[in-house]
Amino acid sequence: MNAPHPALAADTLTGLRREALSAGQAVLLRVQEQFGLDAETALRALAAHGRLPAFDMAALNALTPDFGKLGFGEAARRHCLVARDAEGQLWLLLTDPWDSASRAYAAHVLGVPFQTGLAHPADLAALLGRHEEGLRAMEGMGGSSVQATPDAGVESLSFASIAEDASPVVRLVRSTLYDALKAGASDIHLETDARGLTVKYRIDGVLSHVAQIPGTDVAEQAVSRIKVMSELDIAERRVPQDGRFKVAMQGREVDVRVSVMPSVFGEDAVLRILDRQALSEELAGLTLEGLGYTGAPLTRIRKLAAEPYGMLLVTGPTGSGKTTTLYAAISEINHGRDKIITIEDPVEYQLPGVLQIPVNEKKGLTFARGLRSILRHDPDKIMVGEIRDADTAQIAVQSALTGHLVFTTVHANNVFDVIGRFIHMGVDPYSFVSALNGIVAQRLVRVNCPHCAAPAEPSAELLELSGLTLDKTRDYAFRQGSGCGHCRGSGYKGRRAVAEILLLTDELRELIVARAPIGQVKEAASRGGTRSLRDAALALVKAGDTTLEEINRVTLVG
């Protein structure tokens, strides 16, 4: 156990605790402010004075909360937690070492011996936040069977609406949506298995387990509720179904796209969250620099976006930020002197001064048909949300050849795969390379949390797995987040774009038309300054902005 901090005298701490209580502030935060300490130093110093072990975020994550002993609501109200460690030892985690009331309450409720530890309020709040949805849902289910009923209009999300609703199924779905929006999730996965329902959120591109709710009947009713909200057929469980609905939260409307898929245990549902207002706030004043582009990559993309005609292709998997990059590029060149028209599915963000057309395949408005109509509307620059078929590809190429600047996206793994993709769609290679100005292959990499990142040397096994040796990494500033309340214990906070950018030169055009081996094309591209995705990601590791584990997750080694 650490020795007490020399500045923290007992009488000083008593006064600080009195001030904190009167101000409704956590004593740990008061100590941090008073002595200019960081969160970890304050935690360990106060724990030493209280003769308690200190639990940082990593230690908290190793525990298993026991909300059956001390309910979630009571834990949140008292700012404490009952949990078990790997050996089964019961712990009471406090945020105030003098909190005798919570100790007495826990002793009364538990009725068995327990150990007491100290945790930082932000860390404990993060841990409770991750368990909030699942616990609130399980407390409401109670094993009853309640049929979901349709709501009129937009689903309203708030703590009041969740608490007041009599239906446990509706409460489960609403609380899941509410917490996902609060956590900034892009997708919600509701997975049915032999035990019941598993809830997962995709945050910063990575799935995280949120809750396991027992009972296959619960899973069936929850998916049925989602289908009712999306106006899908609740009786059909053998084929996939797609739909959408809206929810209202804190005065704003959020679109939710739904995909329901049959499985061996019932049905799974994936909900894609499209929070346009939050996206608008995030993208207001968005620039390519704001996405993390600097130096040569920034210059290259700006050059491609400023061309008078031709095609700029952005490629990458779903969720890699392709559309956001195009929005940023268009925003930078949107000076009001050009007619800019987009066709998207869906329109995710309103660009001022830009005509944006949503695809409506049910009414016959496809990308190809919309693009034909756009060409009669006197555009200077066109954005096609995604090239999905040969017809759209042909029209986009012809548009670029007839004096328009075309921005578009296509699914491919790297800049060289895009070339084969278009040729396999039946696009004439000569026309394609004549129209093409450049290709940007993009990925989003999670960056280290600025609050808890610290120097951390990777293991020899990780270096070998990453294709690196010690002599190649002598000038690397390896850093890694340990997990804290700011990053929900993940060690990462936010994402940054990395890209492989190919500018079409006459040499490359000749090689592509001649269908030269891909090795020759890559050599010519490298001579022209193209840097691979892996090298771009390694540059972030070298600067200490992310980790080898993260770039191994999103880019190929070698």
Side-chain angles (χ1 to χ4, degrees), residues 340-558:
I340 304 176
I341 306 177
T342 76
I343 180 163
E344 307 168 59
D345 183 25
V347 175
E348 296 182 10
Y349 166 60
Q350 282 74 48
L351 293 165
V354 176
L355 173 58
Q356 294 174 271
I357 304 167
V359 164
N360 189 338
E361 294 190 356
K362 289 183 180 179
K363 299 294 184 181
L365 180 55
T366 60
F367 277 113
R369 184 173 178 181
L371 189 49
R372 287 193 186 95
S373 298
I374 286 171
L375 293 173
R376 297 191 290 271
H377 212 70
D378 189 30
D380 296 294
K381 296 175 172 61
I382 302 167
M383 173 180 152
V384 182
E386 183 184 345
I387 290 181
R388 299 175 178 171
D389 53 63
D391 202 8
T392 307
Q394 296 278 7
I395 302 168
V397 168
Q398 290 304 314
S399 302
L401 289 171
T402 53
H404 305 91
L405 181 60
V406 178
F407 298 85
T408 189
T409 73
V410 67
H411 287 289
N413 288 324
N414 54 58
V415 294
F416 306 103
D417 288 349
V418 172
I419 299 166
R421 183 85 189 274
F422 270 77
I423 292 173
H424 289 151
M425 284 185 187
V427 177
D428 174 56
Y430 182 81
S431 298
F432 175 58
V433 297
S434 298
L436 188 62
N437 294 333
I439 306 169
V440 178
Q442 179 174 294
R443 297 291 188 277
L444 292 179
V445 175
R446 292 183 297 168
V447 293
N448 289 327
C449 173
H451 302 281
C452 63
E457 288 298 319
S459 64
E461 292 79 10
L462 179 57
L463 285 173
E464 183 180 358
L465 182 66
S466 306
L468 297 171
T469 56
L470 281 174
D471 60 310
K472 290 183 180 178
T473 60
R474 295 194 188 282
D475 57 344
Y476 276 55
F478 290 111
R479 290 175 64 81
Q480 185 165 2
S482 57
C484 65
H486 297 278
C487 60
R488 296 172 62 89
S490 68
Y492 300 96
K493 190 169 179 63
R495 291 187 289 178
R496 186 177 299 177
V498 293
E500 179 179 61
I501 304 169
L502 179 69
L503 298 183
L504 266 289
T505 62
D506 290 340
E507 181 186 7
L508 282 169
R509 288 188 171 96
E510 289 174 5
L511 289 171
I512 294 168
V513 170
R515 305 207 177 199
I518 194 67
Q520 283 185 242
V521 178
K522 287 184 176 180
E523 286 177 9
S526 180
R527 289 194 297 272
T530 297
R531 181 175 65 166
S532 71
L533 271 169
R534 182 69 178 183
D535 288 341
L538 279 170
L540 290 183
V541 178
K542 187 175 184 178
D545 293 328
T546 190
T547 64
L548 286 175
E549 292 94 338
E550 176 62 11
I551 69 164
N552 289 347
R553 184 181 68 85
V554 296
T555 64
L556 292 174
V557 177

Side-chain angles (χ1 to χ4, degrees), residues 68-347:
K69 298 288 188 184
L70 184 66
F72 178 86
E74 196 65 32
R77 187 176 72 81
R78 292 181 176 273
H79 305 289
C80 63
L81 175 71
V82 171
R84 292 187 183 275
D85 61 20
E87 287 73 39
Q89 173 64 54
L90 199 63
W91 285 89
L92 172 67
L93 281 306
L94 303 172
T95 58
D96 182 346
W98 297 282
D99 188 0
S100 57
S102 291
R103 294 194 207 200
Y105 180 83
H108 171 71
V109 171
L110 298 178
V112 293
F114 60 88
Q115 298 289 326
T116 306
L118 191 69
H120 195 281
D123 293 343
L124 195 60
L127 187 69
L128 287 171
R130 288 206 303 274
H131 289 273
E132 181 181 5
E133 184 278 333
L135 267 297
R136 199 165 57 233
M138 283 189 282
E139 286 170 2
M141 292 309 300
S144 62
S145 179
V146 180
Q147 295 300 318
T149 56
D151 283 350
V154 179
E155 190 86 5
S156 176
L157 299 180
S158 67
F159 269 124
S161 67
I162 294 168
E164 292 169 2
D165 202 294
S167 167
V169 174
V170 175
R171 222 167 28 240
L172 166 61
V173 172
R174 282 181 173 173
S175 62
T176 302
L177 287 164
Y178 181 93
D179 292 327
L181 285 165
K182 196 171 65 171
S186 62
D187 301 85
I188 303 169
H189 289 240
L190 303 178
E191 301 174 355
T192 303
D193 56 30
R195 296 174 296 170
L197 183 71
T198 301
V199 181
K200 298 177 181 178
Y201 296 161
R202 187 176 295 279
I203 301 174
D204 285 340
V206 177
L207 277 179
S208 60
H209 184 279
V210 176
Q212 177 70 48
I213 303 169
T216 54
D217 57 332
V218 170
E220 181 181 325
Q221 292 165 31
V223 175
S224 292
R225 172 63 184 169
I226 295 294
K227 290 163 78 173
V228 168
M229 294 167 66
S230 310
E231 298 183 353
L232 301 178
D233 185 356
I234 62 172
E236 180 56 74
R237 300 177 182 173
R238 297 163 296 178
V239 297
Q241 297 188 67
D242 297 316
R244 61 180 62 197
F245 61 88
K246 291 179 183 288
V247 295
M249 177 174 166
Q250 295 177 345
R252 70 179 191 269
E253 284 193 359
V254 178
D255 289 325
V256 182
R257 285 193 293 178
V258 177
S259 173
V260 178
M261 194 74 65
S263 73
V264 293
F265 297 106
E267 290 178 294
D268 284 14
V270 174
L271 284 62
R272 167 63 58 87
I273 297 171
L274 299 171
D275 189 347
R276 287 188 173 86
Q277 183 173 325
L279 185 63
S280 297
E281 293 168 358
E282 180 183 332
L283 298 186
L286 178 69
T287 63
L288 292 165
E289 287 174 314
L291 295 178
Y293 286 114
T294 58
L298 175 65
T299 302
R300 285 181 154 223
I301 296 177
R302 281 182 171 159
K303 179 181 183 300
L304 291 170
E307 297 285 1
Y309 54 83
M311 181 185 288
L312 167 57
L313 272 169
V314 181
T315 186
T318 300
S320 60
K322 301 185 295 294
T323 304
T324 305
T325 295
L326 288 184
Y327 278 156
I330 290 173
S331 296
E332 289 193 3
I333 63 169
N334 184 17
H335 42 61
R337 296 189 295 272
D338 292 324
K339 181 74 171 183
I340 304 176
I341 306 177
T342 76
I343 180 163
E344 307 168 59
D345 183 25
V347 175

